[in-house]
Amino acid sequence: MAADHLDDLRERLRATQEAAERIAGSIPPQGWASVDDGSVAADEIRALVTLVQGLGDLLPEELREQAREVLRQVVALLRAILDVIGARLAAAEAGPQPPRSGGPVVEDIPIA
């Protein structure tokens, strides 16, 4: 019985890896800019969600809670990374800003 679950898990992992490789191979030179209708990406995302659900079904309840917490933290990390990237892009579009008054003055000190 456990071997069946592991075989199923291995098959799902293999399918997910192949899906990820297909997605990575189809990224246009301009990043995610594409004229594709998104149906392929939606199928791949569904495969990833199915894999995560399958993994959750194989875990005992206490490990399932820990896995959920790890996933929450990963999502929070990704959100923070996207926030930083968005702030940097917004700052780059706004151009150079004059230094704020009242803050510390920072100088480069050459080290000989």
Side-chain angles (χ1 to χ4, degrees):
M1 184 77 173
D4 292 336
H5 288 297
L6 289 176
D7 290 339
D8 184 44
L9 178 60
R10 284 186 187 105
E11 178 59 30
R12 288 183 184 191
L13 285 172
R14 186 193 57 73
T16 303
Q17 180 180 3
E18 289 173 357
E21 288 171 356
R22 280 195 308 272
I23 289 173
S26 65
I27 298 173
Q30 296 84 21
W32 288 102
S34 115
V35 294
D36 185 25
D37 64 356
S39 63
V40 173
D43 291 340
E44 305 304 335
I45 290 171
R46 269 190 232 106
L48 291 172
V49 169
T50 302
L51 172 71
V52 170
Q53 288 173 339
L55 288 173
D57 293 341
L58 294 174
L59 295 175
E61 185 59 35
E62 34 255 2
L63 288 179
R64 210 174 304 165
E65 279 301 316
Q66 291 176 0
R68 282 188 199 120
E69 183 58 32
V70 168
L71 285 174
R72 281 187 205 105
Q73 291 176 2
V74 167
V75 170
L77 174 65
L78 290 173
R79 182 176 180 186
I81 290 170
L82 290 174
D83 288 344
V84 169
I85 291 171
R88 287 183 181 175
L89 289 173
E93 288 177 2
Q97 300 293 321
R100 290 190 257 169
S101 62
V105 177
V106 179
E107 297 178 22
D108 285 335
I109 300 173
I111 299 176

